[in-house]
Amino acid sequence: QVQLIESGGGLVQAGDSPRLSCAASGLTFSRYNMGWFRQAPGTAREFVAAIRASGGRTYYSPSVKDRFTISRDNAKNTVILQMNSVKFEDAAVYYCAAALNRADYSGYYYQQRGYDHWGQGTQVTVSS
């Protein structure tokens, strides 16, 4: 079955640059667009970043644009979220998600319902 396993979370300091990874198995990775979402306590899950199946196009939430970078390695079935200059408000559980590639992905990349598979999440805690 499909598995998405996130790693790289933990306790970081404000201003640090943690790197989250998501290892995918059980699917043809190169056929899937990949996204990162996050959920802080008491809030709804929100879109963070996404990357198309080919890696040729990326999307970001305004709150992380210019600080976070999403990338993927289709040979290793891995998607990376490089977080730079983390802030207290970046603390959350970060989820990796996979969406089978469709031509209209640019219209729903930020919507949870557009994704077919989800990981269990990795916690990022930000301290001063």
Side-chain angles (χ1 to χ4, degrees), residues 28-34 51-54 57 59 72 98-109 111-116:
T28 304
F29 187 69
S30 60
R31 295 181 62 192
Y32 282 79
N33 304 311
M34 300 298 295
I51 187 167
R52 295 215 63 144
S54 66
R57 178 75 189 269
Y59 309 87
R72 65 189 294 157
L100 187 63
N101 188 30
R102 286 168 37 189
D104 59 348
Y105 179 69
S106 60
Y108 65 85
Y109 62 86
Q111 297 179 355
Q112 297 180 56
R113 58 185 175 88
Y115 290 80
D116 306 294

Side-chain angles (χ1 to χ4, degrees), residues 4-7 20-24 29 34 36 77-80 96-97:
L4 301 176
I5 301 176
E6 302 96 336
S7 61
L20 304 184
S21 296
C22 173
F29 187 69
M34 300 298 295
W36 285 96
N77 288 9
T78 301
V79 60
I80 301 294
C96 172

Side-chain angles (χ1 to χ4, degrees), residues 76-100:
K76 296 181 178 179
N77 288 9
T78 301
V79 60
I80 301 294
L81 184 68
Q82 178 65 50
M83 306 166 65
N84 294 328
S85 303
V86 293
K87 304 176 181 180
F88 294 117
E89 52 263 42
D90 294 322
V93 177
Y94 283 73
Y95 298 91
C96 172
L100 187 63

